[in-house]
Structure formats: structure tokens, C-alpha cells
Amino acid sequence: MIANLFNVPSTEEDWNEYSFSLQSTLRDINRRIYETQKIAVPEFILDPINLAEPYVQLYNLQNWMNDLNAILGIAGFDYIDVDFSQQGDLASWTWLLAKNIRQAANQVGIG
């Protein structure tokens, strides 16, 4: 599923696959953190991503990533300030998020 997060979504179907992979992977990371460290990380609904009004989900994604990064000692990025209609913004956002998630997944032994 992590490999799917490196694909820049462009169609509604792409976004559905992307948000499913995102939600699933983050839940897997949460599960492993709980299994290994007994820390329960709050989860947020990210699937499906509401492209018309993504701001609440982006804020929730940022909070989720901040929690994971703090627990795992990973430097994160800003995932809120993105304009999905700008291909360059979307490509950068996708790359940084996927890289961050891959690093977290590797640390907890999933992927």
C-alpha cells in the first residue's frame, strides 16, 4: 500500500485509491506503535478525501502525522498548505507525505 502513496492522484478513482491506501497505511502504523510501545495514537477519517473541501481532513492528517513523527522521532512537513489544483503543489505534497510515511512504516516494521 505504501507504494500507492508515491503516485500523484489525478482522477476521482486515483483519489479513492490514494485515500484508501493512506488511511490503511496510517492505521497499520498506529497498530504497530500500539503493539510495540503501548501508545494509542488518535485516528482520523481520511477516506474518502473530500476534494471540494479538504481542509478539515488536511488538518486531521497533519495532526496524525505530527503524532506519529513525535513518537518515532521523525522530522515532518506541512501537509495543510497545499493547493490540489496546482500540479506542482500536489506532486510535492504527495512526495513528502509518502516519504514521511515510508520512513515511519520502516521504523515500525511494516511495508
Side-chain angles (χ1 to χ4, degrees), residues 15-26:
W15 274 107
N16 288 336
E17 291 175 18
Y18 186 89
S19 63
F20 178 83
S21 294
L22 177 62
Q23 182 85 51
S24 178
T25 303
L26 291 178

Side-chain angles (χ1 to χ4, degrees), residues 9 11-19 49 51 84 90 93:
T11 66
E12 185 175 342
E13 183 178 337
D14 291 346
W15 274 107
N16 288 336
E17 291 175 18
Y18 186 89
S19 63
I49 291 179
L51 293 174
F84 288 148
L90 179 57
W93 180 87

